[in-house]
Amino acid sequence: QVQLVESGGGSVQAGGSLRLSCEHSGYTVTSGSDYCLGWFRQAPDKLREGVATINSDGSTSYADSVKGRFTISKDIAKNTLYLQMNTLKPEDTAMYFCAAVAKSACELPRLLLGYRGQGTQVTVSS
């Protein structure tokens, strides 16, 4: 069973930065290479939105709304996924979830169908 635990959320003013972390476990190092990791978010009264993915080969993808502002990365030794969020906007306010899917399903919309954590809240004030 894959387990994902997010941290790093908080409140920040527009233009500020936050870094989210996700500790992941529950699979062997070998099978871990078969997973694609990513982040999605859900704001009140809005649909869930895939934000970023990073595949087992290190390739990344981003939603248009965050390109140039957010950076996804991972530390394999620490089994930790990160999301560096810069130049935050009020519309970035949401609950952010870490997710894991098979590497063959490494697409932003399909992140919503995989394993996920409990989420961490990000609030950006204007």
Side-chain angles (χ1 to χ4, degrees):
Q1 181 77 19
V2 175
Q3 295 178 327
L4 305 158
V5 180
E6 304 93 337
S7 62
S11 297
V12 64
Q13 289 191 325
S17 299
L18 283 173
R19 188 176 80 156
L20 306 183
S21 299
C22 171
E23 293 185 28
H24 52 92
S25 62
Y27 48 81
T28 64
V29 171
T30 301
S31 64
S33 65
D34 294 331
Y35 278 93
C36 164
L37 300 171
W39 296 89
F40 69 88
R41 64 188 181 185
Q42 182 161 25
D45 301 323
K46 291 187 178 180
L47 295 175
R48 292 178 182 177
E49 175 189 25
V51 173
T53 65
I54 183 165
N55 211 339
S56 55
D57 62 359
S59 58
T60 59
S61 67
Y62 296 92
D64 288 342
S65 58
V66 306
K67 277 181 182 176
R69 301 188 297 121
F70 290 11
T71 303
I72 189 171
S73 62
K74 60 183 179 179
D75 186 325
I76 296 174
K78 294 182 179 180
N79 278 355
T80 302
L81 176 72
Y82 301 101
L83 184 69
Q84 178 66 45
M85 305 186 294
N86 297 329
T87 319
L88 283 160
K89 304 175 181 179
E91 51 263 44
D92 294 318
T93 295
M95 184 73 79
Y96 283 72
F97 297 87
C98 174
V101 295
K103 66 178 182 180
S104 59
C106 200
E107 301 171 1
L108 290 173
R110 299 177 76 174
L111 272 181
L112 281 58
L113 304 176
Y115 297 102
R116 66 170 183 171
Q118 294 300 307
T120 186
Q121 178 67 38
V122 172
T123 303
V124 184
S125 58
S126 57

